[in-house]
Amino acid sequence: MIQVAQIIFILSVLVILHEFGHYIAAKIFKVRVEKFYLFMDAGFSLLKKKIGDTEWGIGWLPIGGYVKLSGMIDESMDTEQMKQPAQPWEFRSKPAWQRLIIMLGGIFVNIVLAITIYTIMFSTVGQKYIATDVVQKNGLSFTQVGKDVGFINGDKIISVDGEPVQNKFNRLIIDVLLSDKLIVERNGQPKELKLSDESKAKILGTEGKNFMMPRIEGFKIDSILPKSAAFNAGLKVDDRITSVDGKTFKYYDEFTNLLSNKANDSIALVVVRNNNTVNLKAKLDKDSKLGFRPKLTLANDKEKFEVVNKLSFGQALPQAAKESWQLLVYNVKQFKLILKPKTQAYKQVKSPIGIARMLPDEWNWEFIWSFTALFSIGLAFMNLLPIPGLDGGHALFTIVEMITGKTLNEKTAGYVQTFGMIILLSLMALTFGKDIYQLVVDKLL
């Protein structure tokens, strides 16, 4: 329930402020706003109240929101008023430049919101990120899919498409998935790697961003699979294995190497538990595995890799603007990845249901505001896309009108808007359906 509450809060903040951007711009240019809705009111609304010329309400379908402007074909698909003569308070009677500003008002507010949140966060809790140079100190550790596409444990990524790596590790992971050519340092020597679209599909379809991790010295057990060799041997959560058959190791990948080629064999383990040494015997499964998950993710060792820069307000503002711009650029890059069918990145697109399942199980204001800023830039980018039904689609037609001096007739505009809404609703149905199916499968299996 906390995850649901978080996503509803985040969506509410973003939708209300986005639509307020349209609302305030419309009011400045004296366009009548007939409706202002949080979420969609298809068929009926949960709450509504008429104040002046505007009906304020909350819809039942949590997939966005809208403002309905007089004299405009929008999400409401109300074409009746368009058959009447244009009135001075209507959207269609205003100059093209005013209509363009109204259409871009929501996007502008989304960007301002992100910059504002980051400015406040950077000047209070600090600018935080996982440092690439610290993560790569001992090289990187890769899951099997990472090894399958050409990496080996201990590799250090030194450049992506000819550019030196960024010092924000999460960005580096995205850069790798978007890259055409990588240079890694392997055993002190540079080596070129190329990731095909098929390789990227393997990574995205299995491990995702966790396909490469820091090479941590030592590890603890995070969880144990039921009825596994680890369970039968008596291993417990937070145990630290220090040797296998009398052989010590430094990194987790060295530990797994010691287990290789020992399928169905018995091994001797030395384990540190609550500062005491425990000797255990274990019989590996047919895959030479014990059956536990190690604590190797960045989240488990965040304090080791995180950099915190406390900035003054004057320092925070330009850094916040830079951060927002970089996020917008990364949205463009990720969209390009989605448009490549062979990467199968389109399968990773999530609805609010899927996003909610990624949120933490406890209420964390720092995380929530950081995620809101991130999501706000994503919403700004999405609405910039020149798709009929989105702000970018309306803006595109308005810009064409400003250049050519010609407008779409009302009948054609209605068809275009309908076509755009069909595309958007179809995409929403697919993403919601996929995430609902996954939710059911996870609960039942």
Side-chain angles (χ1 to χ4, degrees):
M1 289 303 295
I2 291 178
Q3 290 175 319
V4 174
Q6 287 179 100
I7 195 64
I8 290 176
F9 174 80
I10 292 169
L11 287 175
S12 298
V13 170
L14 292 176
V15 170
I16 289 171
L17 292 177
H18 177 89
E19 298 305 331
F20 182 75
H22 296 307
Y23 175 85
I24 196 66
K27 284 298 185 180
I28 289 172
F29 297 122
K30 296 180 171 53
V31 174
R32 182 177 293 171
V33 181
E34 298 179 7
K35 287 186 174 183
F36 188 122
Y37 263 77
L38 169 64
F39 305 144
M40 306 302 288
D41 61 329
F44 67 94
S45 56
L46 299 178
L47 295 170
K48 63 180 179 180
K49 182 176 178 61
K50 187 81 174 281
I51 302 175
D53 295 322
T54 306
E55 178 181 298
W56 302 78
I58 300 176
W60 63 272
L61 188 60
I63 56 172
Y66 69 98
V67 291
K68 185 180 184 308
L69 307 178
S70 294
M72 176 184 177
I73 300 177
D74 56 12
E75 294 91 334
S76 65
M77 299 306 295
D78 182 5
T79 59
E80 288 303 313
Q81 65 179 236
M82 304 300 287
K83 298 176 182 178
Q84 308 299 321
Q87 302 298 321
W89 61 81
E90 290 187 335
F91 178 81
R92 57 179 166 162
S93 69
K94 302 300 177 180
W97 67 271
Q98 292 185 8
R99 286 184 273 126
L100 181 61
I101 290 174
I102 293 171
M103 284 298 95
L104 297 178
I107 296 170
F108 175 77
V109 168
N110 281 134
I111 295 172
V112 170
L113 173 62
I115 293 173
T116 301
I117 291 174
Y118 282 131
T119 299
I120 295 171
M121 291 187 68
F122 291 172
S123 59
T124 53
V125 297
Q127 183 184 31
K128 299 181 179 181
Y129 60 91
I130 302 298
T132 300
D133 55 351
V134 180
V135 170
Q136 293 204 118
K137 180 181 178 182
N138 300 315
L140 296 169
S141 176
F142 298 89
T143 60
Q144 188 57 51
V145 68
K147 296 172 185 175
D148 290 343
V149 302
F151 293 99
I152 68 171
N153 291 325
D155 280 353
K156 294 182 181 181
I157 300 170
I158 56 178
S159 74
V160 180
D161 289 335
E163 296 292 329
V165 298
Q166 293 199 47
N167 202 29
K168 293 183 178 179
F169 187 66
N170 288 339
R171 300 273 169 84
L172 173 60
I173 296 173
I174 298 174
D175 285 338
V176 168
L177 292 174
L178 296 172
S179 69
D180 294 317
K181 182 176 69 174
L182 302 169
I183 302 296
V184 301
E185 180 186 310
R186 181 175 294 173
N187 299 322
Q189 298 296 320
K191 180 176 178 60
E192 181 178 303
L193 291 180
K194 291 184 178 180
L195 293 185
S196 65
D197 287 346
E198 290 79 6
S199 295
K200 295 171 185 177
K202 286 182 181 179
I203 294 171
L204 290 169
T206 53
E207 304 291 345
K209 66 180 182 180
N210 290 323
F211 87 99
M212 64 180 191
M213 299 172 288
R215 206 178 187 205
I216 300 172
E217 295 185 28
F219 65 91
K220 289 185 176 182
I221 294 176
D222 184 55
S223 61
I224 296 172
L225 302 180
K227 299 180 181 179
S228 63
F231 177 85
N232 294 331
L235 283 166
K236 299 182 182 298
V237 172
D238 284 333
D239 278 356
R240 183 164 60 87
I241 301 173
T242 59
S243 75
V244 176
D245 287 337
K247 297 178 181 178
T248 59
F249 54 89
K250 190 173 183 181
Y251 305 112
Y252 178 73
D253 56 90
E254 293 176 339
F255 165 73
T256 58
N257 287 339
L258 291 175
L259 300 186
S260 62
N261 301 318
K262 289 182 177 290
N264 298 315
D265 281 354
S266 294
I267 58 173
L269 300 174
V270 176
V271 174
V272 175
R273 178 182 299 164
N274 299 325
N275 296 321
N276 296 314
T277 300
V278 180
N279 294 296
L280 298 174
K281 289 282 187 179
K283 185 175 182 180
L284 300 180
D285 63 18
K286 60 182 178 62
D287 297 316
S288 299
K289 292 182 178 180
L290 279 167
F292 68 85
R293 294 186 180 92
K295 289 185 176 180
L296 289 176
T297 64
L298 291 172
N300 287 318
D301 291 275
K302 192 175 180 181
E303 67 282 354
K304 292 183 180 179
F305 309 107
E306 188 175 63
V307 172
V308 181
N309 293 327
K310 280 289 188 75
L311 305 176
S312 67
F313 183 84
Q315 294 171 322
L317 182 57
Q319 285 298 314
K322 181 180 179 181
E323 180 76 6
S324 299
W325 170 253
Q326 289 179 339
L327 285 174
L328 192 59
V329 170
Y330 272 92
N331 271 278
V332 175
K333 289 181 177 181
Q334 290 177 83
F335 188 69
K336 289 180 180 179
L337 189 67
I338 290 171
L339 292 179
K340 291 183 176 181
K342 288 184 180 180
T343 67
Q344 299 184 27
Y346 60 87
K347 293 183 179 180
Q348 308 307 315
V349 177
K350 298 185 182 297
S351 71
I353 293 173
I355 294 170
R357 298 186 68 199
M358 298 167 59
L359 297 176
D361 293 326
E362 57 186 28
W363 197 274
N364 183 320
W365 279 113
E366 184 179 339
F367 177 88
I368 288 171
W369 286 119
S370 179
F371 193 85
T372 300
L374 177 71
F375 210 164
S376 190
I377 293 296
L379 186 60
F381 168 73
M382 185 184 72
N383 274 282
L384 275 171
L385 296 176
I387 299 174
L390 294 177
D391 297 342
H394 292 296
L396 177 63
F397 290 126
T398 305
I399 291 170
V400 171
E401 177 188 340
M402 293 170 70
I403 295 172
T404 64
K406 298 179 181 179
T407 61
L408 285 177
N409 62 56
E410 292 166 7
K411 187 175 182 180
T412 303
Y415 287 144
V416 170
Q417 182 72 11
T418 301
F419 176 71
M421 291 303 296
I422 290 173
I423 292 176
L424 292 176
L425 291 173
S426 298
L427 291 174
M428 286 181 186
L430 287 172
T431 54
F432 268 91
K434 173 178 68 70
D435 289 339
I436 291 171
Y437 170 79
Q438 191 61 53
L439 176 63
V440 172
V441 168
D442 291 346
K443 293 294 184 183
L444 295 181
L445 300 181

